[in-house]
């Protein structure tokens, strides 16, 4: 059985924040547990022990996170159990993957504005949100690239 690590409380708080932002609760908890994982990652059993949940709950969360490309399944020769760890660039990928959604949402806001010509305040609000969303869609990938460049050894 895995002992609760000193970082368990901050991991749960961070998982709660991800849940508020829209990520399902169990995948958020698994992802935050993996932030503090040992270098070899965790097995599903270890994640279940750490989080105090069933193996089935971890299995569903792991499937979700792998499908979203937030975590990797790691197989090691001689080890029957797969281990899991965060993908390289999981965070910047998670943030920048929303850029196309922002662009689509901006287009929808423009259509809403077009349909409400008789309500100038509504039109202004919808166009303002559309402008902001387009700005995010355009800037997110560049910001991630800038961050990577700033981190890379010179």
């Amino acid at each position: 059985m895995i002992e609760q690590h000193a970082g368990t409380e901050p991991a749960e708080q961070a998982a709660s924040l991800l849940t508020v932002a829209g990520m399902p609760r169990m995948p958020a908890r698994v992802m935050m547990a993996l932030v503090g994982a040992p270098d070899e990652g965790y097995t599903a059993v270890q994640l279940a022990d750490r989080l105090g949940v069933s193996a089935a709950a971890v299995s569903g969360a792991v499937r979700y996170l792998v499908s979203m490309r937030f975590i990797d399944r790691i197989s090691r020769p001689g080890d029957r159990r797969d281990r899991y760890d965060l993908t390289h660039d999981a965070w910047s990928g998670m943030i920048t993957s929303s850029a196309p959604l922002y662009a689509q949402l901006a287009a929808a806001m423009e259509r809403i504005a077009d349909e409400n010509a008789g309500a100038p305040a509504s039109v202004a609000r919808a166009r303002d949100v559309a402008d902001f969303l387009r700005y995010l869609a355009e800037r997110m990938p560049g910001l991630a690239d800038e961050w990577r460049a700033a981190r890379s050894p010179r």
Side-chain angles (χ1 to χ4, degrees), residues 84-121:
Y84 300 93
D85 205 354
L86 293 175
T87 60
H88 176 73
D89 273 353
W91 292 99
S92 62
M94 178 172 41
I95 300 299
T96 58
S97 68
S98 298
L101 173 66
Y102 295 144
Q104 292 172 358
L105 195 49
M109 292 299 218
E110 289 291 351
R111 289 191 301 276
I112 290 169
D114 292 344
E115 292 175 357
N116 288 304

PDB file of all heavy atoms in Angstrom, residues 84-121:
ATOM      1  N   TYR A  84       1.972   4.640 -15.356  1.00  0.00           N
ATOM      2  CA  TYR A  84       1.445   5.836 -15.995  1.00  0.00           C
ATOM      3  C   TYR A  84       2.229   7.048 -15.533  1.00  0.00           C
ATOM      4  O   TYR A  84       2.646   7.127 -14.382  1.00  0.00           O
ATOM      5  CB  TYR A  84      -0.046   6.013 -15.660  1.00  0.00           C
ATOM      6  CG  TYR A  84      -0.848   4.829 -16.129  1.00  0.00           C
ATOM      7  CD1 TYR A  84      -1.116   3.769 -15.279  1.00  0.00           C
ATOM      8  CD2 TYR A  84      -1.290   4.757 -17.443  1.00  0.00           C
ATOM      9  CE1 TYR A  84      -1.820   2.658 -15.727  1.00  0.00           C
ATOM     10  CE2 TYR A  84      -1.988   3.651 -17.893  1.00  0.00           C
ATOM     11  CZ  TYR A  84      -2.250   2.605 -17.028  1.00  0.00           C
ATOM     12  OH  TYR A  84      -2.934   1.507 -17.475  1.00  0.00           O
ATOM     13  N   ASP A  85       2.408   7.973 -16.462  1.00  0.00           N
ATOM     14  CA  ASP A  85       3.072   9.231 -16.138  1.00  0.00           C
ATOM     15  C   ASP A  85       2.538  10.307 -17.080  1.00  0.00           C
ATOM     16  O   ASP A  85       1.947  10.002 -18.115  1.00  0.00           O
ATOM     17  CB  ASP A  85       4.586   9.095 -16.288  1.00  0.00           C
ATOM     18  CG  ASP A  85       5.356  10.087 -15.424  1.00  0.00           C
ATOM     19  OD1 ASP A  85       4.723  10.961 -14.784  1.00  0.00           O
ATOM     20  OD2 ASP A  85       6.592   9.990 -15.384  1.00  0.00           O
ATOM     21  N   LEU A  86       2.750  11.555 -16.714  1.00  0.00           N
ATOM     22  CA  LEU A  86       2.320  12.665 -17.560  1.00  0.00           C
ATOM     23  C   LEU A  86       3.086  12.651 -18.866  1.00  0.00           C
ATOM     24  O   LEU A  86       4.274  12.312 -18.886  1.00  0.00           O
ATOM     25  CB  LEU A  86       2.564  14.004 -16.858  1.00  0.00           C
ATOM     26  CG  LEU A  86       1.739  14.289 -15.620  1.00  0.00           C
ATOM     27  CD1 LEU A  86       2.190  15.598 -14.979  1.00  0.00           C
ATOM     28  CD2 LEU A  86       0.261  14.349 -15.946  1.00  0.00           C
ATOM     29  N   THR A  87       2.429  13.039 -19.939  1.00  0.00           N
ATOM     30  CA  THR A  87       3.133  13.162 -21.207  1.00  0.00           C
ATOM     31  C   THR A  87       4.042  14.379 -21.151  1.00  0.00           C
ATOM     32  O   THR A  87       3.828  15.302 -20.354  1.00  0.00           O
ATOM     33  CB  THR A  87       2.155  13.350 -22.390  1.00  0.00           C
ATOM     34  OG1 THR A  87       1.405  14.531 -22.172  1.00  0.00           O
ATOM     35  CG2 THR A  87       1.252  12.168 -22.556  1.00  0.00           C
ATOM     36  N   HIS A  88       5.047  14.358 -22.000  1.00  0.00           N
ATOM     37  CA  HIS A  88       5.909  15.520 -22.132  1.00  0.00           C
ATOM     38  C   HIS A  88       5.041  16.657 -22.655  1.00  0.00           C
ATOM     39  O   HIS A  88       4.266  16.479 -23.589  1.00  0.00           O
ATOM     40  CB  HIS A  88       7.057  15.216 -23.092  1.00  0.00           C
ATOM     41  CG  HIS A  88       7.929  16.384 -23.358  1.00  0.00           C
ATOM     42  ND1 HIS A  88       8.813  16.869 -22.420  1.00  0.00           N
ATOM     43  CD2 HIS A  88       8.035  17.186 -24.426  1.00  0.00           C
ATOM     44  CE1 HIS A  88       9.423  17.920 -22.910  1.00  0.00           C
ATOM     45  NE2 HIS A  88       8.977  18.135 -24.131  1.00  0.00           N
ATOM     46  N   ASP A  89       5.126  17.808 -22.077  1.00  0.00           N
ATOM     47  CA  ASP A  89       4.345  18.985 -22.479  1.00  0.00           C
ATOM     48  C   ASP A  89       2.842  18.807 -22.273  1.00  0.00           C
ATOM     49  O   ASP A  89       2.039  19.403 -22.991  1.00  0.00           O
ATOM     50  CB  ASP A  89       4.616  19.367 -23.935  1.00  0.00           C
ATOM     51  CG  ASP A  89       5.802  20.296 -24.086  1.00  0.00           C
ATOM     52  OD1 ASP A  89       6.333  20.754 -23.051  1.00  0.00           O
ATOM     53  OD2 ASP A  89       6.190  20.576 -25.229  1.00  0.00           O
ATOM     54  N   ALA A  90       2.440  18.004 -21.303  1.00  0.00           N
ATOM     55  CA  ALA A  90       1.004  17.781 -21.058  1.00  0.00           C
ATOM     56  C   ALA A  90       0.282  19.095 -20.790  1.00  0.00           C
ATOM     57  O   ALA A  90      -0.824  19.313 -21.291  1.00  0.00           O
ATOM     58  CB  ALA A  90       0.814  16.828 -19.877  1.00  0.00           C
ATOM     59  N   TRP A  91       0.887  19.956 -20.026  1.00  0.00           N
ATOM     60  CA  TRP A  91       0.205  21.195 -19.638  1.00  0.00           C
ATOM     61  C   TRP A  91       0.063  22.163 -20.792  1.00  0.00           C
ATOM     62  O   TRP A  91      -1.025  22.688 -21.047  1.00  0.00           O
ATOM     63  CB  TRP A  91       0.919  21.840 -18.452  1.00  0.00           C
ATOM     64  CG  TRP A  91       0.745  21.003 -17.251  1.00  0.00           C
ATOM     65  CD1 TRP A  91       1.638  20.105 -16.739  1.00  0.00           C
ATOM     66  CD2 TRP A  91      -0.435  20.891 -16.461  1.00  0.00           C
ATOM     67  NE1 TRP A  91       1.085  19.466 -15.671  1.00  0.00           N
ATOM     68  CE2 TRP A  91      -0.185  19.931 -15.469  1.00  0.00           C
ATOM     69  CE3 TRP A  91      -1.669  21.516 -16.491  1.00  0.00           C
ATOM     70  CZ2 TRP A  91      -1.130  19.591 -14.514  1.00  0.00           C
ATOM     71  CZ3 TRP A  91      -2.612  21.175 -15.538  1.00  0.00           C
ATOM     72  CH2 TRP A  91      -2.338  20.220 -14.555  1.00  0.00           C
ATOM     73  N   SER A  92       1.155  22.417 -21.504  1.00  0.00           N
ATOM     74  CA  SER A  92       1.031  23.353 -22.624  1.00  0.00           C
ATOM     75  C   SER A  92       0.141  22.764 -23.704  1.00  0.00           C
ATOM     76  O   SER A  92      -0.632  23.482 -24.343  1.00  0.00           O
ATOM     77  CB  SER A  92       2.404  23.741 -23.181  1.00  0.00           C
ATOM     78  OG  SER A  92       3.078  22.613 -23.696  1.00  0.00           O
ATOM     79  N   GLY A  93       0.203  21.459 -23.877  1.00  0.00           N
ATOM     80  CA  GLY A  93      -0.685  20.809 -24.840  1.00  0.00           C
ATOM     81  C   GLY A  93      -2.141  20.942 -24.453  1.00  0.00           C
ATOM     82  O   GLY A  93      -3.010  21.172 -25.302  1.00  0.00           O
ATOM     83  N   MET A  94      -2.426  20.801 -23.160  1.00  0.00           N
ATOM     84  CA  MET A  94      -3.798  20.920 -22.680  1.00  0.00           C
ATOM     85  C   MET A  94      -4.328  22.336 -22.941  1.00  0.00           C
ATOM     86  O   MET A  94      -5.451  22.502 -23.407  1.00  0.00           O
ATOM     87  CB  MET A  94      -3.866  20.608 -21.173  1.00  0.00           C
ATOM     88  CG  MET A  94      -5.256  20.751 -20.598  1.00  0.00           C
ATOM     89  SD  MET A  94      -5.458  20.188 -18.877  1.00  0.00           S
ATOM     90  CE  MET A  94      -4.016  20.748 -18.041  1.00  0.00           C
ATOM     91  N   ILE A  95      -3.502  23.317 -22.686  1.00  0.00           N
ATOM     92  CA  ILE A  95      -3.937  24.704 -22.863  1.00  0.00           C
ATOM     93  C   ILE A  95      -4.081  25.042 -24.347  1.00  0.00           C
ATOM     94  O   ILE A  95      -5.088  25.594 -24.779  1.00  0.00           O
ATOM     95  CB  ILE A  95      -2.934  25.671 -22.182  1.00  0.00           C
ATOM     96  CG1 ILE A  95      -2.834  25.386 -20.678  1.00  0.00           C
ATOM     97  CG2 ILE A  95      -3.299  27.111 -22.460  1.00  0.00           C
ATOM     98  CD1 ILE A  95      -4.104  25.559 -19.906  1.00  0.00           C
ATOM     99  N   THR A  96      -3.082  24.710 -25.153  1.00  0.00           N
ATOM    100  CA  THR A  96      -3.120  25.090 -26.565  1.00  0.00           C
ATOM    101  C   THR A  96      -4.120  24.267 -27.369  1.00  0.00           C
ATOM    102  O   THR A  96      -4.575  24.726 -28.418  1.00  0.00           O
ATOM    103  CB  THR A  96      -1.729  25.002 -27.220  1.00  0.00           C
ATOM    104  OG1 THR A  96      -1.232  23.678 -27.080  1.00  0.00           O
ATOM    105  CG2 THR A  96      -0.776  25.994 -26.591  1.00  0.00           C
ATOM    106  N   SER A  97      -4.472  23.089 -26.903  1.00  0.00           N
ATOM    107  CA  SER A  97      -5.445  22.278 -27.646  1.00  0.00           C
ATOM    108  C   SER A  97      -6.823  22.928 -27.651  1.00  0.00           C
ATOM    109  O   SER A  97      -7.675  22.577 -28.463  1.00  0.00           O
ATOM    110  CB  SER A  97      -5.531  20.862 -27.067  1.00  0.00           C
ATOM    111  OG  SER A  97      -6.113  20.891 -25.780  1.00  0.00           O
ATOM    112  N   SER A  98      -7.046  23.891 -26.776  1.00  0.00           N
ATOM    113  CA  SER A  98      -8.333  24.595 -26.728  1.00  0.00           C
ATOM    114  C   SER A  98      -8.433  25.699 -27.774  1.00  0.00           C
ATOM    115  O   SER A  98      -9.523  26.220 -27.999  1.00  0.00           O
ATOM    116  CB  SER A  98      -8.547  25.204 -25.338  1.00  0.00           C
ATOM    117  OG  SER A  98      -8.602  24.198 -24.375  1.00  0.00           O
ATOM    118  N   ALA A  99      -7.339  26.054 -28.413  1.00  0.00           N
ATOM    119  CA  ALA A  99      -7.350  27.165 -29.364  1.00  0.00           C
ATOM    120  C   ALA A  99      -8.394  26.990 -30.473  1.00  0.00           C
ATOM    121  O   ALA A  99      -9.151  27.931 -30.752  1.00  0.00           O
ATOM    122  CB  ALA A  99      -5.957  27.395 -29.946  1.00  0.00           C
ATOM    123  N   PRO A 100      -8.501  25.832 -31.117  1.00  0.00           N
ATOM    124  CA  PRO A 100      -9.537  25.693 -32.148  1.00  0.00           C
ATOM    125  C   PRO A 100     -10.954  25.852 -31.577  1.00  0.00           C
ATOM    126  O   PRO A 100     -11.832  26.406 -32.243  1.00  0.00           O
ATOM    127  CB  PRO A 100      -9.328  24.283 -32.699  1.00  0.00           C
ATOM    128  CG  PRO A 100      -7.914  23.953 -32.363  1.00  0.00           C
ATOM    129  CD  PRO A 100      -7.632  24.661 -31.069  1.00  0.00           C
ATOM    130  N   LEU A 101     -11.146  25.400 -30.364  1.00  0.00           N
ATOM    131  CA  LEU A 101     -12.452  25.557 -29.723  1.00  0.00           C
ATOM    132  C   LEU A 101     -12.779  27.037 -29.540  1.00  0.00           C
ATOM    133  O   LEU A 101     -13.904  27.469 -29.786  1.00  0.00           O
ATOM    134  CB  LEU A 101     -12.489  24.835 -28.378  1.00  0.00           C
ATOM    135  CG  LEU A 101     -13.735  25.047 -27.531  1.00  0.00           C
ATOM    136  CD1 LEU A 101     -14.960  24.438 -28.215  1.00  0.00           C
ATOM    137  CD2 LEU A 101     -13.540  24.459 -26.154  1.00  0.00           C
ATOM    138  N   TYR A 102     -11.782  27.814 -29.131  1.00  0.00           N
ATOM    139  CA  TYR A 102     -12.000  29.249 -28.949  1.00  0.00           C
ATOM    140  C   TYR A 102     -12.394  29.902 -30.279  1.00  0.00           C
ATOM    141  O   TYR A 102     -13.270  30.763 -30.319  1.00  0.00           O
ATOM    142  CB  TYR A 102     -10.751  29.939 -28.399  1.00  0.00           C
ATOM    143  CG  TYR A 102     -10.360  29.499 -27.006  1.00  0.00           C
ATOM    144  CD1 TYR A 102      -9.027  29.398 -26.645  1.00  0.00           C
ATOM    145  CD2 TYR A 102     -11.311  29.184 -26.048  1.00  0.00           C
ATOM    146  CE1 TYR A 102      -8.655  29.002 -25.367  1.00  0.00           C
ATOM    147  CE2 TYR A 102     -10.947  28.785 -24.778  1.00  0.00           C
ATOM    148  CZ  TYR A 102      -9.619  28.696 -24.442  1.00  0.00           C
ATOM    149  OH  TYR A 102      -9.260  28.305 -23.189  1.00  0.00           O
ATOM    150  N   ALA A 103     -11.742  29.508 -31.360  1.00  0.00           N
ATOM    151  CA  ALA A 103     -12.060  30.075 -32.672  1.00  0.00           C
ATOM    152  C   ALA A 103     -13.483  29.710 -33.087  1.00  0.00           C
ATOM    153  O   ALA A 103     -14.224  30.560 -33.601  1.00  0.00           O
ATOM    154  CB  ALA A 103     -11.056  29.592 -33.709  1.00  0.00           C
ATOM    155  N   GLN A 104     -13.877  28.465 -32.858  1.00  0.00           N
ATOM    156  CA  GLN A 104     -15.241  28.042 -33.199  1.00  0.00           C
ATOM    157  C   GLN A 104     -16.267  28.775 -32.351  1.00  0.00           C
ATOM    158  O   GLN A 104     -17.328  29.178 -32.837  1.00  0.00           O
ATOM    159  CB  GLN A 104     -15.385  26.534 -33.017  1.00  0.00           C
ATOM    160  CG  GLN A 104     -14.599  25.721 -34.013  1.00  0.00           C
ATOM    161  CD  GLN A 104     -14.607  24.241 -33.682  1.00  0.00           C
ATOM    162  OE1 GLN A 104     -15.161  23.812 -32.686  1.00  0.00           O
ATOM    163  NE2 GLN A 104     -13.973  23.457 -34.534  1.00  0.00           N
ATOM    164  N   LEU A 105     -15.957  28.940 -31.076  1.00  0.00           N
ATOM    165  CA  LEU A 105     -16.863  29.649 -30.181  1.00  0.00           C
ATOM    166  C   LEU A 105     -16.985  31.123 -30.592  1.00  0.00           C
ATOM    167  O   LEU A 105     -18.076  31.703 -30.543  1.00  0.00           O
ATOM    168  CB  LEU A 105     -16.367  29.513 -28.741  1.00  0.00           C
ATOM    169  CG  LEU A 105     -17.319  29.865 -27.621  1.00  0.00           C
ATOM    170  CD1 LEU A 105     -18.680  29.196 -27.780  1.00  0.00           C
ATOM    171  CD2 LEU A 105     -16.709  29.490 -26.291  1.00  0.00           C
ATOM    172  N   ALA A 106     -15.888  31.722 -31.037  1.00  0.00           N
ATOM    173  CA  ALA A 106     -15.925  33.106 -31.513  1.00  0.00           C
ATOM    174  C   ALA A 106     -16.846  33.219 -32.723  1.00  0.00           C
ATOM    175  O   ALA A 106     -17.651  34.161 -32.815  1.00  0.00           O
ATOM    176  CB  ALA A 106     -14.517  33.583 -31.870  1.00  0.00           C
ATOM    177  N   ALA A 107     -16.765  32.266 -33.632  1.00  0.00           N
ATOM    178  CA  ALA A 107     -17.637  32.278 -34.810  1.00  0.00           C
ATOM    179  C   ALA A 107     -19.100  32.143 -34.396  1.00  0.00           C
ATOM    180  O   ALA A 107     -19.976  32.824 -34.950  1.00  0.00           O
ATOM    181  CB  ALA A 107     -17.240  31.163 -35.770  1.00  0.00           C
ATOM    182  N   ALA A 108     -19.373  31.307 -33.417  1.00  0.00           N
ATOM    183  CA  ALA A 108     -20.749  31.156 -32.925  1.00  0.00           C
ATOM    184  C   ALA A 108     -21.235  32.446 -32.289  1.00  0.00           C
ATOM    185  O   ALA A 108     -22.398  32.849 -32.483  1.00  0.00           O
ATOM    186  CB  ALA A 108     -20.826  30.009 -31.924  1.00  0.00           C
ATOM    187  N   MET A 109     -20.372  33.125 -31.560  1.00  0.00           N
ATOM    188  CA  MET A 109     -20.746  34.403 -30.946  1.00  0.00           C
ATOM    189  C   MET A 109     -21.072  35.447 -32.013  1.00  0.00           C
ATOM    190  O   MET A 109     -22.000  36.238 -31.851  1.00  0.00           O
ATOM    191  CB  MET A 109     -19.628  34.919 -30.040  1.00  0.00           C
ATOM    192  CG  MET A 109     -19.432  34.078 -28.813  1.00  0.00           C
ATOM    193  SD  MET A 109     -20.924  34.063 -27.817  1.00  0.00           S
ATOM    194  CE  MET A 109     -20.231  34.106 -26.219  1.00  0.00           C
ATOM    195  N   GLU A 110     -20.310  35.441 -33.087  1.00  0.00           N
ATOM    196  CA  GLU A 110     -20.585  36.371 -34.194  1.00  0.00           C
ATOM    197  C   GLU A 110     -21.968  36.086 -34.797  1.00  0.00           C
ATOM    198  O   GLU A 110     -22.721  37.014 -35.110  1.00  0.00           O
ATOM    199  CB  GLU A 110     -19.509  36.274 -35.280  1.00  0.00           C
ATOM    200  CG  GLU A 110     -18.174  36.847 -34.878  1.00  0.00           C
ATOM    201  CD  GLU A 110     -18.162  38.361 -34.727  1.00  0.00           C
ATOM    202  OE1 GLU A 110     -19.150  39.038 -35.099  1.00  0.00           O
ATOM    203  OE2 GLU A 110     -17.155  38.874 -34.233  1.00  0.00           O
ATOM    204  N   ARG A 111     -22.313  34.805 -34.952  1.00  0.00           N
ATOM    205  CA  ARG A 111     -23.635  34.451 -35.483  1.00  0.00           C
ATOM    206  C   ARG A 111     -24.744  34.897 -34.536  1.00  0.00           C
ATOM    207  O   ARG A 111     -25.793  35.374 -34.970  1.00  0.00           O
ATOM    208  CB  ARG A 111     -23.722  32.950 -35.758  1.00  0.00           C
ATOM    209  CG  ARG A 111     -22.886  32.516 -36.964  1.00  0.00           C
ATOM    210  CD  ARG A 111     -23.167  31.100 -37.419  1.00  0.00           C
ATOM    211  NE  ARG A 111     -22.926  30.089 -36.409  1.00  0.00           N
ATOM    212  CZ  ARG A 111     -21.737  29.531 -36.141  1.00  0.00           C
ATOM    213  NH1 ARG A 111     -20.656  29.903 -36.826  1.00  0.00           N
ATOM    214  NH2 ARG A 111     -21.612  28.609 -35.206  1.00  0.00           N
ATOM    215  N   ILE A 112     -24.493  34.764 -33.232  1.00  0.00           N
ATOM    216  CA  ILE A 112     -25.470  35.235 -32.244  1.00  0.00           C
ATOM    217  C   ILE A 112     -25.653  36.743 -32.394  1.00  0.00           C
ATOM    218  O   ILE A 112     -26.774  37.247 -32.398  1.00  0.00           O
ATOM    219  CB  ILE A 112     -25.031  34.867 -30.811  1.00  0.00           C
ATOM    220  CG1 ILE A 112     -25.133  33.358 -30.604  1.00  0.00           C
ATOM    221  CG2 ILE A 112     -25.871  35.611 -29.777  1.00  0.00           C
ATOM    222  CD1 ILE A 112     -24.482  32.855 -29.329  1.00  0.00           C
ATOM    223  N   ALA A 113     -24.555  37.465 -32.539  1.00  0.00           N
ATOM    224  CA  ALA A 113     -24.639  38.925 -32.713  1.00  0.00           C
ATOM    225  C   ALA A 113     -25.420  39.265 -33.980  1.00  0.00           C
ATOM    226  O   ALA A 113     -26.269  40.162 -33.968  1.00  0.00           O
ATOM    227  CB  ALA A 113     -23.238  39.526 -32.766  1.00  0.00           C
ATOM    228  N   ASP A 114     -25.153  38.537 -35.054  1.00  0.00           N
ATOM    229  CA  ASP A 114     -25.841  38.795 -36.326  1.00  0.00           C
ATOM    230  C   ASP A 114     -27.350  38.585 -36.212  1.00  0.00           C
ATOM    231  O   ASP A 114     -28.124  39.273 -36.887  1.00  0.00           O
ATOM    232  CB  ASP A 114     -25.294  37.886 -37.434  1.00  0.00           C
ATOM    233  CG  ASP A 114     -23.855  38.227 -37.813  1.00  0.00           C
ATOM    234  OD1 ASP A 114     -23.378  39.327 -37.456  1.00  0.00           O
ATOM    235  OD2 ASP A 114     -23.205  37.366 -38.447  1.00  0.00           O
ATOM    236  N   GLU A 115     -27.765  37.648 -35.372  1.00  0.00           N
ATOM    237  CA  GLU A 115     -29.191  37.340 -35.224  1.00  0.00           C
ATOM    238  C   GLU A 115     -29.923  38.294 -34.278  1.00  0.00           C
ATOM    239  O   GLU A 115     -31.135  38.235 -34.168  1.00  0.00           O
ATOM    240  CB  GLU A 115     -29.370  35.905 -34.723  1.00  0.00           C
ATOM    241  CG  GLU A 115     -28.961  34.856 -35.736  1.00  0.00           C
ATOM    242  CD  GLU A 115     -29.037  33.449 -35.184  1.00  0.00           C
ATOM    243  OE1 GLU A 115     -29.361  33.277 -33.985  1.00  0.00           O
ATOM    244  OE2 GLU A 115     -28.765  32.506 -35.949  1.00  0.00           O
ATOM    245  N   ASN A 116     -29.189  39.145 -33.576  1.00  0.00           N
ATOM    246  CA  ASN A 116     -29.796  40.022 -32.566  1.00  0.00           C
ATOM    247  C   ASN A 116     -29.614  41.496 -32.896  1.00  0.00           C
ATOM    248  O   ASN A 116     -29.395  42.320 -32.002  1.00  0.00           O
ATOM    249  CB  ASN A 116     -29.206  39.724 -31.185  1.00  0.00           C
ATOM    250  CG  ASN A 116     -29.683  38.407 -30.650  1.00  0.00           C
ATOM    251  OD1 ASN A 116     -30.888  38.186 -30.550  1.00  0.00           O
ATOM    252  ND2 ASN A 116     -28.765  37.516 -30.339  1.00  0.00           N
ATOM    253  N   ALA A 117     -29.734  41.833 -34.156  1.00  0.00           N
ATOM    254  CA  ALA A 117     -29.503  43.220 -34.586  1.00  0.00           C
ATOM    255  C   ALA A 117     -30.363  44.222 -33.829  1.00  0.00           C
ATOM    256  O   ALA A 117     -29.968  45.370 -33.642  1.00  0.00           O
ATOM    257  CB  ALA A 117     -29.746  43.339 -36.090  1.00  0.00           C
ATOM    258  N   GLY A 118     -31.531  43.798 -33.340  1.00  0.00           N
ATOM    259  CA  GLY A 118     -32.419  44.711 -32.628  1.00  0.00           C
ATOM    260  C   GLY A 118     -32.039  44.931 -31.174  1.00  0.00           C
ATOM    261  O   GLY A 118     -32.710  45.685 -30.461  1.00  0.00           O
ATOM    262  N   ALA A 119     -30.979  44.302 -30.722  1.00  0.00           N
ATOM    263  CA  ALA A 119     -30.556  44.433 -29.317  1.00  0.00           C
ATOM    264  C   ALA A 119     -29.088  44.850 -29.294  1.00  0.00           C
ATOM    265  O   ALA A 119     -28.196  44.015 -29.167  1.00  0.00           O
ATOM    266  CB  ALA A 119     -30.769  43.119 -28.573  1.00  0.00           C
ATOM    267  N   PRO A 120     -28.813  46.153 -29.422  1.00  0.00           N
ATOM    268  CA  PRO A 120     -27.427  46.622 -29.546  1.00  0.00           C
ATOM    269  C   PRO A 120     -26.510  46.206 -28.389  1.00  0.00           C
ATOM    270  O   PRO A 120     -25.343  45.905 -28.612  1.00  0.00           O
ATOM    271  CB  PRO A 120     -27.545  48.137 -29.629  1.00  0.00           C
ATOM    272  CG  PRO A 120     -28.987  48.467 -29.706  1.00  0.00           C
ATOM    273  CD  PRO A 120     -29.780  47.232 -29.476  1.00  0.00           C
ATOM    274  N   ALA A 121     -27.011  46.186 -27.162  1.00  0.00           N
ATOM    275  CA  ALA A 121     -26.165  45.789 -26.030  1.00  0.00           C
ATOM    276  C   ALA A 121     -25.776  44.312 -26.158  1.00  0.00           C
ATOM    277  O   ALA A 121     -24.629  43.934 -25.897  1.00  0.00           O
ATOM    278  CB  ALA A 121     -26.875  46.046 -24.701  1.00  0.00           C
TER     279      ALA A 121
END
